[in-house]
Amino acid sequence: AQSVTQLGSHVSVSEGALVLLRCNYSSSVPPYLFWYVQYPNQGLQLLLKYTTGATLVKGINGFEAEFKKSETSFHLTKPSAHMSDAAEYFCAVRGEMDSSYKLIFGSGTRLLVRP
Amino acid sequence: GAGVSQSPSNKVTEKGKDVELRCDPISGHTALYWYRQSLGQGLEFLIYFQGNSAPDKSGLPSDRFSAERTGGSVSTLTIQRTQQEDSAVYLCASSLATDYSNQPQHFGDGTRLSIL
């Protein structure tokens, strides 16, 4: 069964610093991977997705993620953090076989941005 | 255009009462999903509707939970005889169903349910 592990429930960075949020997955089929962001009292917004093709995926708000099959990772990065990036971030993997419509989420990482 | 709309945004009720949560998906989206977000369990899949097909109810935690989708559009999640462990944010999402890998799920802002 698929699973997603996000290392670090909280990550704190200074404004302008590199953002790195870690995600490792487990999947018995070629994974389709997603990053979502959740602002307070809001739903989830898709940041980016990896399906097939290029392993470096660019998303909205300057975020990108690299799919590394050998490391079963899909870490999210942004070169320079902005105060508005403070939110909770969720990595997710698509369900397998007949459950491909399901998203299996990691436990989330809350990003704090210090001025 | 309009996104996924959920109501109410907040619901406080007493233990043992029944509650109904509503989701209005994006127009034209044939797939609809309910998830639950709670402190102890994170984000969990509850139920999936696709067109006229039988829904996948495999994520519903107990028989107190049920959901329906009328006319292929609006969905209602009902929790009977609520318990304190039902306190959570209930998120609804919808998508075009043609290709789940390339059709992202669009989420509503959720209903925050608090059981006293």
Side-chain angles (χ1 to χ4, degrees):
Chain A
Q2 283 92 340
S3 66
V4 175
T5 301
Q6 292 184 241
L7 292 175
S9 58
H10 292 79
V11 170
S12 180
V13 300
S14 297
E15 190 174 20
L18 171 72
V19 175
L20 170 61
L21 305 182
R22 298 179 186 275
C23 172
N24 288 88
Y25 69 90
S26 171
S27 178
S28 58
V29 298
Y32 287 4
L33 296 157
F34 307 82
W35 274 100
Y36 281 85
V37 60
Q38 185 177 36
Y39 298 100
N41 298 316
Q42 293 187 22
L44 303 176
Q45 180 182 4
L46 181 68
L47 275 178
L48 49 80
K49 62 182 180 182
Y50 168 78
T51 54
T52 58
T55 55
L56 182 62
V57 180
K58 295 187 182 299
I60 62 172
N61 301 339
F63 284 93
E64 61 183 34
E66 185 172 12
F67 170 65
K68 292 187 176 180
K69 184 178 179 180
S70 62
E71 299 178 8
T72 61
S73 69
F74 190 56
H75 301 330
L76 182 70
T77 60
K78 181 174 180 177
S80 177
H82 192 274
M83 296 297 291
S84 61
D85 294 326
E88 189 152 21
Y89 293 79
F90 293 91
C91 182
V93 65
R94 181 197 67 172
E96 64 183 9
M97 307 304 282
D98 294 340
S99 299
S100 61
Y101 45 81
K102 290 184 186 178
L103 290 176
I104 295 100
F105 288 91
S107 55
T109 297
R110 186 170 298 278
L111 177 65
L112 308 171
V113 182
R114 304 184 303 270
Chain B
V4 176
S5 178
Q6 293 188 246
S7 61
S9 54
N10 286 281
K11 177 72 175 178
V12 181
T13 193
E14 294 179 347
K15 177 181 171 181
K17 300 286 189 183
D18 297 352
V19 294
E20 284 190 354
L21 313 180
R22 176 188 168 102
C23 173
D24 200 342
I26 293 172
S27 178
H29 281 192
T30 58
L32 186 147
Y33 317 76
W34 284 96
Y35 292 86
R36 181 170 70 174
Q37 185 175 23
S38 57
L39 282 176
Q41 302 298 322
L43 273 156
E44 305 171 278
F45 167 84
L46 295 178
I47 188 169
Y48 159 74
F49 295 92
Q50 166 49 32
N52 296 321
S53 302
D56 176 358
K57 304 179 180 180
S58 62
L60 294 179
S62 78
D63 58 8
R64 295 186 296 105
F65 287 71
S66 63
E68 63 177 21
R69 189 178 185 191
T70 54
S73 181
V74 172
S75 177
T76 301
L77 177 68
T78 301
I79 309 173
Q80 295 179 309
R81 305 181 302 282
T82 52
Q83 303 294 314
Q84 287 188 330
E85 62 262 28
D86 300 334
S87 296
V89 176
Y90 290 82
L91 292 167
C92 177
S94 70
S95 72
L96 293 169
T98 52
D99 179 352
Y100 298 107
S101 62
N102 285 312
Q103 298 298 339
Q105 296 180 21
H106 298 265
F107 285 80
D109 287 341
T111 293
R112 184 175 299 275
L113 178 63
S114 301
I115 309 300
L116 302 179

